[in-house]
C-alpha cells in the first residue's frame, strides 16, 4: 500500500510508512486494481485524519519554523493560496522526516479596507463578515489536507491579538519612534483614506480603488523607521538566502550616507514650539551650516503651524526667499536663517535640507546671493563622520544615517475596521499613551458605516470621551486606526506564544523558534511588508524582547499561477470562456468572429481567468492537484495554467503507473511462490531493463526533491553528476552554495571527487542556479 503514502505525501514520517503496511486504504479491505477517481478519493479520505493526527504529536527535537504569509480572509481560496500552502506543507513534512520539531502555523490578516467596504455594500457588520469568511476558508484549508498547527491560530481583528499590537505601538511611542505631525498625504477620494506612496501606481491612481489620488494636509501618525535605515541596510549582508529580494530591499532603503538633525524653530527670537528635522549628506560638515531650506509645499506654509504667517509673508514664488524664521540646531547650538527654496523638489522625498557652503558649490552660491555670511566651522569640523553622528544620537538630536529616498512609515488610516491607536489627547498633557493595564482599547460598535467623510470612530461619542490617564482630566481618544501592515509586522512572533495573556510573547519561546527558517510568500510583499517586519524585529531586539535581529533566515518567493485571458483588442474587454469559440486554430469571439488578444495574467475574477480550487479538487483529487503544483514549475517560477495542454493528465498517468506497480508487487507477495527473475518472459525482461536503465533518472529526481526543500541547513547537500549521471553527494557550506568556483573546488577536493574525478579531464562544470546540483562534463 505504498501509494497511499506516496500519493498523499511524497515525504512522510517513517511512522506513517510503517502504519501503511498494516492495512488497506478502504474499510472494505478490497484492493482496487484500477486507479479511478473514486479510488483516489478513498485513498485521500482514509489518510486525511491519520496524517493530521500524526502532525499534532509533540516533539523535543531540533526546531524548524516554516511560515507561509497569512491570508486576508476574503472567504474563498484561490489557486495562489493552494500553491503556497502546498509548498509549506511539503517542507514541513520533509523536515519532520529529518527529525525536526516543526512549527507550521496559520492565521488571518483580518483587518483592513476590503472587509469594511464589503460590509458597507452588503449592510453587514465588518466583524460578522470577517468571522464568517474565516470559518469558510478554514474549512477549505482543511479540505486540502494541510497540516497546520491550528492550536496556534492568530486573528489580527480579535482583542487578544490587537491588544499587543497596541502595546508595541506604545513601546515605539515611549522610545520616540511613534509621533504625530501634519503632512501632505495621498488621499483616496473613493475609499476616503490615506495611502502610502507605495499604494499609488505610476499613473497616480489608488492601488485598490483605481481613483486618481489627491494631495491632502492631515495630522497623521508616523513611525520613525528612518532611524533604523542603516542597520536594516547593513543586516542584508547576513541574509545570503534572500535570493533576488535583498537587492529590492537595498534599493528601497537607498544609500544611507546622510542624516537628519533636529532644529528648534524661532520667530523674533522666540521659540515657536516647532521642531524641524533637516537633512544633510555631509553630517561631518554640519558646523558650517549657513541656512535651512524648505520647499514651498512644506507643511509649515500650509498647515496650522505658528510659523505659517511669517513664512508666507517672506515667500516670493520662483525665488529663494530669506525669511525672519530661524532654526537652532540642537546638536551644534548654532542658529541659522530659514530659506524657502525656489525649487519645487529636492532629492528623493526630502522637503527640508541644511545648506552647507563648504560642502556644496550650489549651497555656497545660494548663501552668497542672499547675503548670508560664510560660516567658518570650528575645529570640531575635523571630527570624524561617525563621531558627529554618534554624538547627535546621544543628545537625541538626530544623527541616524538614512537616505534621501526613505520616508517614515505613515500608519494613520481614517477608517473603522482596524486596530485603534492607543493614544488619548489631553488639553493639558498632550498625547498620552493608554497604560498597558487598560489595553486593549476596544474597537467600539458604530451605528452605521458609509465609507465617506471623517473617521467613523468620531461618531462613537461614549467611546470617544474619556479620562486622561495622566492628569485624570477630560480627554478624547485618537480616532485614526492603524495601517494593517502594523498588524502583520509582528505576527510571526505571536505564533511562538499565541495564548500569552501577560505579554505579546515570552522571550524564551520566541528565542526557541526564531528566526523563521523559511518564509514563503508572494513577490508583491518583497518590499513593504518585509521591510516593516524587519524593522519591528530589530526594534524588539533593542527592547530586549528577543535575541535575534533578523526575523527570517531564508525567503522563498513563490511564483504566480497565471491563467489565459482573452481580450477584444479594440476595447480591451476581457471575455468569459463561454463567449469564445475554440474550435478553430485560433480562439475568436463567438458573436462577431473577431480575433482576440491572448495573454497570460495573474488569475482574477475581473479577467475571467480564475480557477476555483474546489472544482479542480472535485475533478482530479487532492493528491493530483498537489503533485501538479509541486512539479509543474520550480517554486519561484510562474505556472501557466493552460486549460487545454496543462500537465495534470501527465500527473494522473504517473500516479496510475505507480498504482499499477504497487498492485503487481502486492500480487507477487501474495502469490504461492517466491518471485524468480529467471522465469520472466521477453517483454517482462525488457520492462525490467528499462527500469534499471532509468535508475539514475529516478535518483536524480529524488535528490532534486531533497535539495529543493532542504532550505535551512548549515550545509547544502550537493548532488554531483558526471556526464548527467548521478554519482553521489557532497556537503557544501551554505554561504558558498551560489559560488560555482568554490562549489567546484570543494567537490573536487572531497573524497568522492578525488575518487571519481582526479584522473579525468573536466571539460565543463555546470552549477544549477536553483537546486544544489553540479554536473561535471568529462571526456569518457
Amino acid at each position: 500500500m505504498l501509494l497511499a503514502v506516496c500519493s498523499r505525501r511524497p515525504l512522510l514520517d517513517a511512522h506513517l510508512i510503517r502504519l501503511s503496511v498494516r492495512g488497506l486504504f478502504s474499510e472494505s479491505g478490497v484492493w482496487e486494481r484500477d486507479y479511478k477517481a473514486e479510488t483516489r478519493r478513498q485513498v485521500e479520505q482514509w489518510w486525511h485524519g491519520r496524517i493530521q493526527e500524526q502532525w499534532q504529536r509533540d516533539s523535543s527535537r531540533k526546531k524548524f519554523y516554516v511560515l507561509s504569509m497569512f491570508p486576508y480572509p476574503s472567504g474563498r481560496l484561490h489557486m495562489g493560496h493552494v500553491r503556497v500552502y502546498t509548498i509549506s506543507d511539503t517542507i514541513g513534512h520533509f523536515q519532520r522526516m529529518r527529525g525536526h520539531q516543526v512549527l507550521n502555523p496559520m492565521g488571518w490578516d483580518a483587518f483592513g479596507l476590503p472587509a469594511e467596504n464589503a460590509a458597507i455594500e452588503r449592510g453587514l457588520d465588518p466583524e460578522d463578515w470577517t468571522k464568517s469568511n474565516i470559518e469558510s476558508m478554514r474549512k477549505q484549508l482543511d479540505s486540502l489536507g494541510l497540516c497546520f498547527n491550528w492550536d496556534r491560530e492568530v486573528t489580527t481583528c480579535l482583542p487578544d491579538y490587537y491588544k499587543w499590537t497596541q502595546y508595541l505601538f506604545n513601546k515605539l511611542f515611549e522610545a520616540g519612534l511613534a509621533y504625530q505631525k501634519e503632512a501632505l498625504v495621498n488621499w483616496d477620494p473613493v475609499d476616503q483614506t490615506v495611502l502610502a506612496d507605495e499604494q499609488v501606481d505610476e499613473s497616480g491612481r489608488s492601488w485598490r480603488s483605481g481613483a486618481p489620488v489627491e494631495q491632502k494636509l492631515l495630522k497623521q501618525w508616523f513611525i520613525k523607521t528612518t532611524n533604523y535605515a542603516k542597520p536594516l541596510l547593513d543586516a542584508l549582508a547576513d541574509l545570503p538566502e534572500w535570493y533576488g529580494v535583498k537587492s529590492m530591499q537595498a534599493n528601497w532603503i537607498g544609500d544611507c550616507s546622510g542624516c537628519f538633525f533636529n532644529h528648534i524653530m524661532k520667530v523674533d527670537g522666540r521659540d515657536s514650539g516647532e521642531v524641524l528635522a533637516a537633512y544633510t549628506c555631509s553630517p561631518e560638515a554640519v558646523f558650517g551650516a549657513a541656512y535651512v531650506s524648505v520647499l514651498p509645499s512644506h507643511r509649515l506654509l500650509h498647515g496650522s503651524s505658528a510659523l505659517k504667517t511669517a513664512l508666507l509673508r517672506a515667500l516670493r514664488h520662483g525665488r529663494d526667499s530669506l525669511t525672519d524664521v530661524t532654526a537652532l540646531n540642537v546638536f551644534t547650538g548654532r542658529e541659522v536663517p530659514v530659506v524657502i527654496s525656489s525649487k519645487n523638489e529636492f532629492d528623493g522625498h526630502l522637503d527640508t535640507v541644511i545648506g552647507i557652503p563648504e560642502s556644496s558649490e550650489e549651497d555656497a552660491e545660494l548663501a552668497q546671493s542672499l547675503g548670508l555670511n560664510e560660516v567658518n566651522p570650528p575645529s570640531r569640523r575635523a571630527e570624524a563622520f561617525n563621531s558627529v553622528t554618534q554624538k547627535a544620537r546621544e543628545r537625541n538630536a538626530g544623527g541616524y544615517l538614512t537616505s534621501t529616498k526613505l520616508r517614515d512609515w505613515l500608519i494613520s488610516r481614517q477608517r473603522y475596521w482596524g486596530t485603534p491607536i492607543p493614544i488619548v489627547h489631553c488639553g493639558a498633557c498632550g498625547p498620552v499613551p493608554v497604560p498597558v493595564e487598560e489595553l486593549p482599547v476596544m474597537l467600539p460598535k458604530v451605528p452605521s458605516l458609509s465609507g465617506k467623510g471623517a473617521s467613523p470612530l468620531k461618531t462613537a461619542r461614549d467611546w470617544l470621551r474619556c479620562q486622561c490617564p495622566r492628569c485624570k482630566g477630560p480627554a478624547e481618544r485618537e480616532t485614526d486606526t492603524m495601517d494593517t501592515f502594523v498588524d502583520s509586522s509582528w505576527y510571526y512572533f505571536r505564533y511562538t506564544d499565541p495564548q500569552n495573556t501577560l505579554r505579546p510573547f515570552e522571550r524564551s519561546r520566541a528565542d526557541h523558534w526564531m528566526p523563521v527558517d523559511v518564509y514563503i510568500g508572494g513577490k508583491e510583499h518583497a518590499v513593504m511588508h518585509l521591510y516593516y517586519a524587519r524593522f519591528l524585529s530589530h526594534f524588539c531586539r533593542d527592547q530586549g524582547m528577543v535575541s535575534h535581529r533578523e526575523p527570517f533566515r531564508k525567503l522563498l518567493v513563490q511564483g504566480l499561477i497565471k491563467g489565459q485571458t482573452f481580450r477584444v483588442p479594440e476595447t480591451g474587454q476581457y471575455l468569459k470562456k463561454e463567449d469564445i469559440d475554440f474550435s478553430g486554430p485560433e480562439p475568436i469571439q463567438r458573436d462577431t468572429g473577431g480575433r482576440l488578444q491572448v495573454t497570460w495574467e495573474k488569475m482574477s475574477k475581473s479577467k475571467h481567468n480564475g480557477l476555483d480550487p474546489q472544482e479542480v479538487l472535485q475533478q482530479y483529487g487532492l493528491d493530483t492537484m498537489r503533485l501538479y503544483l509541486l512539479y509543474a514549475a520550480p517554486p519561484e517560477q510562474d505556472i501557466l495554467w493552460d486549460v487545454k495542454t496543462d500537465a495534470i493528465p501527465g500527473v494522473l498517468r504517473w500516479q496510475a503507473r505507480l498504482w499499477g506497480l504497487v498492485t503487481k508487487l502486492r500480487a507477487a507477495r501474495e502469490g504461492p511462490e517466491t518471485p524468480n527473475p529467471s522465469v520472466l518472459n521477453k517483454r517482462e525482461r525488457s520492462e525490467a531493463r528499462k527500469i534499471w536503465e532509468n535508475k539514475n533518472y529516478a535518483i536524480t529526481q529524488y535528490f532534486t526533491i531533497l535539495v529543493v526543500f532542504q532550505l535551512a541547513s548549515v550545509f547544502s547537500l550537493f548532488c554531483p553528476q558526471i556526464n548527467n549521471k548521478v554519482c553521489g553527494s557532497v556537503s557544501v557550506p551554505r554561504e558558498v552554495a551560489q559560488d560555482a568556483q568554490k562549489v567546484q573546488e570543494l567537490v573536487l577536493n572531497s573524497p568522492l571527487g578525488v575518487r571519481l574525478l582526479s584522473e579525468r579531464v573536466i571539460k565543463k562544470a555546470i552549477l544549477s542556479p536553483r537546486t544544489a546540483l553540479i554536473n561535471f562534463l568529462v571526456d569518457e
Side-chain angles (χ1 to χ4, degrees):
M1 250 304 293
L2 184 61
L3 182 60
V5 177
C6 290
S7 66
R8 178 67 188 150
R9 292 285 190 275
L11 304 167
L12 276 180
D13 295 38
H15 174 75
L16 284 179
I17 295 175
R18 289 196 299 272
L19 280 178
S20 69
V21 299
R22 297 180 192 156
L24 299 177
F25 66 87
S26 65
E27 294 180 2
S28 67
V30 177
W31 180 268
E32 299 288 347
R33 296 186 63 85
D34 296 326
Y35 192 58
K36 300 173 293 188
E38 179 59 22
T39 306
R40 296 200 300 272
R41 187 192 65 78
Q42 291 177 359
V43 170
E44 292 164 5
Q45 190 174 35
W46 195 87
W47 278 104
H48 192 146
R50 290 166 171 80
I51 291 170
Q52 293 191 330
E53 179 184 355
Q54 171 67 14
W55 180 263
Q56 297 303 323
R57 297 186 181 183
D58 198 10
S59 169
S60 59
R61 298 169 290 181
K62 181 181 177 182
K63 72 95 179 178
F64 190 93
Y65 189 173
V66 55
L67 177 62
S68 43
M69 293 181 182
F70 65 171
Y72 162 71
S74 61
R76 295 295 296 175
L77 290 180
H78 55 67
M79 291 303 296
H81 289 130
V82 179
R83 187 184 191 192
V84 67
Y85 303 140
T86 295
I87 292 171
S88 67
D89 197 51
T90 304
I91 293 173
H93 281 289
F94 174 65
Q95 294 298 338
R96 280 180 64 91
M97 187 177 172
R98 297 182 67 211
H100 289 148
Q101 178 191 16
V102 175
L103 175 58
N104 182 20
M106 177 49 63
W108 311 97
D109 193 7
F111 271 137
L113 274 177
E116 184 171 341
N117 289 343
I120 291 170
E121 292 171 8
R122 293 164 176 80
L124 300 173
D125 183 281
E127 182 178 5
D128 296 337
W129 169 257
T130 300
K131 288 182 176 179
S132 66
N133 285 348
I134 289 174
E135 186 63 28
S136 173
M137 290 181 73
R138 192 186 289 117
K139 290 178 180 177
Q140 293 173 64
L141 289 172
D142 187 59
S143 73
L144 295 174
L146 299 164
C147 290
F148 290 118
N149 297 91
W150 283 113
D151 58 324
R152 294 174 180 266
E153 179 182 16
V154 302
T155 305
T156 61
C157 69
L158 296 182
D160 65 355
Y161 183 89
Y162 69 71
K163 169 182 180 176
W164 302 113
T165 303
Q166 294 172 339
Y167 171 89
L168 291 170
F169 175 90
N170 282 351
K171 284 282 188 183
L172 290 162
F173 183 83
E174 291 162 5
L177 295 173
Y179 66 96
Q180 193 178 28
K181 72 172 183 179
E182 281 188 319
L184 279 173
V185 296
N186 302 309
W187 180 257
D188 186 324
V190 172
D191 283 335
Q192 295 284 299
T193 194
V194 169
L195 301 173
D197 285 345
E198 311 79 48
Q199 296 168 330
V200 181
D201 65 22
E202 294 178 355
S203 62
R205 294 180 176 271
S206 167
W207 71 306
R208 189 174 296 281
S209 73
V213 171
E214 301 171 359
Q215 294 295 300
K216 193 170 184 177
L217 192 69
L218 291 174
K219 202 167 188 180
Q220 303 286 285
W221 281 97
F222 293 83
I223 294 177
K224 198 180 286 291
T225 54
T226 51
N227 279 18
Y228 277 76
K230 190 65 164 63
L232 288 168
L233 181 65
D234 292 345
L236 291 174
D238 301 326
L239 301 173
E241 296 183 272
W242 276 43
Y243 308 119
V245 176
K246 282 207 308 185
S247 60
M248 297 173 68
Q249 285 273 306
N251 290 335
W252 170 262
I253 296 171
D255 179 23
C256 297
S257 58
C259 68
F260 289 92
F261 288 103
N262 295 335
H263 295 75
I264 295 173
M265 307 300 285
K266 295 184 175 183
V267 180
D268 299 327
R270 294 191 301 273
D271 186 344
S272 68
E274 288 278 1
V275 175
L276 185 67
Y279 188 86
T280 176
C281 291
S282 306
E284 75 284 359
V286 69
F287 294 96
Y291 60 89
V292 166
S293 182
V294 300
L295 292 177
S297 59
H298 196 280
R299 64 178 178 86
L300 293 178
L301 282 79
H302 301 276
S304 57
S305 168
L307 299 172
K308 181 177 178 180
T309 301
L311 291 172
L312 289 177
R313 184 170 60 241
L315 175 63
R316 302 293 182 267
H317 289 287
R319 294 168 53 188
D320 294 306
S321 307
L322 184 62
T323 74
D324 295 329
V325 180
T326 60
L328 172 66
N329 186 314
V330 298
F331 170 55
T332 66
R334 289 181 172 270
E335 192 171 329
V336 295
V338 172
V339 174
I340 304 172
S341 178
S342 60
K343 298 179 179 179
N344 290 321
E345 60 181 29
F346 296 138
D347 289 341
H349 293 303
L350 298 177
D351 62 6
T352 311
V353 296
I354 302 174
I356 305 177
E358 189 180 64
S359 299
S360 165
E361 185 176 337
E362 182 181 3
D363 290 358
E365 291 175 355
L366 192 148
Q368 185 177 11
S369 69
L370 294 176
L372 300 177
N373 296 328
E374 184 173 345
V375 180
N376 295 317
S379 58
R380 285 187 67 175
R381 166 67 179 85
E383 288 188 10
F385 178 100
N386 290 338
S387 176
V388 171
T389 53
Q390 180 180 342
K391 288 180 178 177
R393 293 193 295 270
E394 291 171 355
R395 299 179 188 180
N396 198 28
Y400 292 90
L401 295 180
T402 185
S403 73
T404 62
K405 297 171 62 175
L406 201 62
R407 286 204 277 191
D408 286 337
W409 181 11
L410 192 162
I411 66 161
S412 283
R413 298 295 181 265
Q414 289 70 41
R415 295 299 293 257
Y416 168 72
W417 192 236
T419 297
I421 294 176
I423 292 290
V424 166
H425 294 281
C426 172
C429 305
V432 180
V434 175
V436 64
E437 59 271 16
E438 296 180 22
L439 297 177
V441 176
M442 298 285 287
L443 189 64
K445 294 292 184 182
V446 295
S448 63
L449 295 170
S450 66
K452 308 294 181 184
S455 170
L457 293 182
K458 291 183 182 293
T459 65
R461 295 295 179 186
D462 293 339
W463 175 89
L464 182 66
R465 299 189 183 95
C466 64
Q467 188 181 68
C468 173
R470 188 171 296 162
C471 71
K472 309 306 178 185
E476 288 192 352
R477 298 189 186 278
E478 173 60 56
T479 57
D480 282 356
T481 53
M482 295 189 208
D483 177 14
T484 55
F485 277 114
V486 182
D487 305 314
S488 61
S489 68
W490 74 281
Y491 76 112
Y492 49 89
F493 282 134
R494 186 64 176 175
Y495 278 141
T496 68
D497 194 13
Q499 277 80 48
N500 198 323
T501 59
L502 300 178
R503 53 186 60 86
F505 47 86
E506 189 68 46
R507 174 170 176 164
S508 61
R509 295 191 177 187
D511 284 348
H512 169 73
W513 287 109
M514 295 296 291
V516 173
D517 293 280
V518 58
Y519 193 29
I520 311 166
K523 199 167 188 176
E524 66 272 19
H525 296 299
V527 175
M528 282 194 297
H529 163 64
L530 287 175
Y531 178 75
Y532 299 143
R534 293 181 63 221
F535 162 79
L536 217 292
S537 182
H538 278 238
F539 172 73
C540 287
R541 168 63 174 78
D542 288 347
Q543 292 290 308
M545 298 173 69
V546 289
S547 297
H548 297 90
R549 287 197 182 278
E550 285 297 326
F552 313 121
R553 177 176 287 132
K554 173 158 187 151
L555 198 64
L556 196 163
V557 179
Q558 98 280 356
L560 299 173
I561 297 184
K562 294 183 176 181
Q564 280 182 304
T565 59
F566 303 90
R567 303 176 68 185
V568 179
E570 294 78 15
T571 64
Q573 177 190 3
Y574 289 94
L575 297 184
K576 298 179 181 178
K577 297 288 193 302
E578 54 266 30
D579 298 327
I580 304 168
D581 182 356
F582 291 100
S583 60
E586 298 290 337
I588 59 173
Q589 190 169 0
R590 189 178 299 278
D591 294 340
T592 65
R595 297 186 64 181
L596 298 174
Q597 181 182 355
V598 183
T599 57
W600 294 95
E601 298 185 50
K602 182 179 179 180
M603 288 186 175
S604 166
K605 287 183 180 179
S606 63
K607 297 174 182 177
H608 308 300
N609 68 338
L611 199 63
D612 187 341
Q614 297 301 317
E615 293 180 6
V616 180
L617 187 63
Q618 186 175 3
Q619 182 177 359
Y620 296 110
L622 174 59
D623 291 338
T624 306
M625 180 172 68
R626 286 167 59 101
L627 282 167
Y628 172 80
L629 291 173
L630 289 171
Y631 291 108
E636 309 91 342
Q637 294 182 12
D638 294 341
I639 291 177
L640 305 183
W641 196 293
D642 190 324
V643 294
K644 286 187 174 182
T645 61
D646 62 42
I648 282 186
V651 174
L652 286 170
R653 289 192 295 271
W654 179 85
Q655 289 178 287
R657 287 197 301 271
L658 184 56
W659 185 270
L661 175 62
V662 175
T663 300
K664 290 178 182 179
L665 287 172
R666 284 179 54 84
R669 285 179 176 176
E670 294 171 356
E673 299 178 0
T674 302
N676 184 355
S678 65
V679 301
L680 295 175
N681 60 37
K682 184 177 180 180
R683 185 182 63 81
E684 291 169 337
R685 284 197 298 272
S686 176
E687 290 297 317
R689 188 177 299 109
K690 288 180 181 178
I691 293 174
W692 179 253
E693 291 172 349
N694 281 309
K695 71 182 187 302
N696 281 340
Y697 175 78
I699 292 172
T700 302
Q701 294 302 307
Y702 173 72
F703 268 109
T704 300
I705 292 170
L706 287 183
V707 297
V708 165
F709 297 117
Q710 189 153 323
L711 297 164
S713 303
V714 174
F715 292 92
S716 293
L717 186 65
F718 264 78
C719 176
Q721 293 181 334
I722 299 177
N723 289 346
N724 302 312
K725 294 180 181 179
V726 175
C727 298
S729 61
V730 175
S731 292
V732 172
R734 185 177 58 188
E735 61 267 21
V736 301
Q738 299 296 308
D739 189 321
Q741 185 63 36
K742 290 184 179 179
V743 170
Q744 181 178 341
E745 290 175 4
L746 288 168
V747 172
L748 291 176
N749 292 325
S750 70
L752 180 72
V754 170
R755 179 166 57 86
L756 297 179
L757 293 166
S758 61
E759 302 296 327
R760 309 179 80 167
V761 177
I762 299 173
K763 296 187 292 186
K764 191 175 184 179
I766 304 170
L767 182 72
S768 169
R770 182 178 62 84
T771 62
L773 180 69
I774 187 168
N775 186 18
F776 292 92
L777 303 181
V778 303
D779 289 335
E780 293 291 354

